Amino acid sequence: ANERTLFSYLRTSIYLILAGFAFLQLESFDSIKWIGYVTFAISGLMIIYGFIRYHILRKKLRKFYNQDKKKSF
């Protein structure tokens, strides 16, 4: 489940990158091009947050399963 959550963050960030490119390609709406740059920033933050969350949860799961193995013996 941890990997699926990471992939969800990555998928969402890719969609935000695509939306950012779409906003930057709009020639008749120059006043909202800043939204494209904001979506790029949010996308980068989501990638970073997703990887950090993945690694923290992975450590917790490994610790939990290692303790559980020790108790069963």
Side-chain angles (χ1 to χ4, degrees):
N2 194 21
E3 291 85 8
R4 285 184 299 210
T5 304
L6 175 63
F7 290 143
S8 174
Y9 278 107
L10 293 176
R11 183 180 57 241
T12 303
S13 66
I14 289 171
Y15 290 150
L16 284 171
I17 289 171
L18 292 174
F21 281 126
F23 277 116
L24 292 178
Q25 295 296 320
L26 294 173
E27 294 178 3
S28 59
F29 296 104
D30 287 334
S31 62
I32 62 168
K33 283 193 175 195
W34 63 272
I35 296 174
Y37 296 113
V38 169
T39 58
F40 287 146
I42 293 172
S43 173
L45 292 173
M46 286 195 72
I47 290 172
I48 293 169
Y49 179 74
F51 276 109
I52 290 171
R53 188 176 184 279
Y54 170 78
H55 286 292
I56 289 171
L57 189 56
R58 190 171 113 194
K59 286 180 185 178
K60 287 181 181 180
L61 287 171
R62 282 186 179 175
K63 184 178 178 182
F64 174 76
Y65 285 119
N66 286 336
Q67 287 178 355
D68 193 40
K69 286 180 183 178
K70 290 177 183 176
K71 288 180 182 179
S72 66
F73 289 120

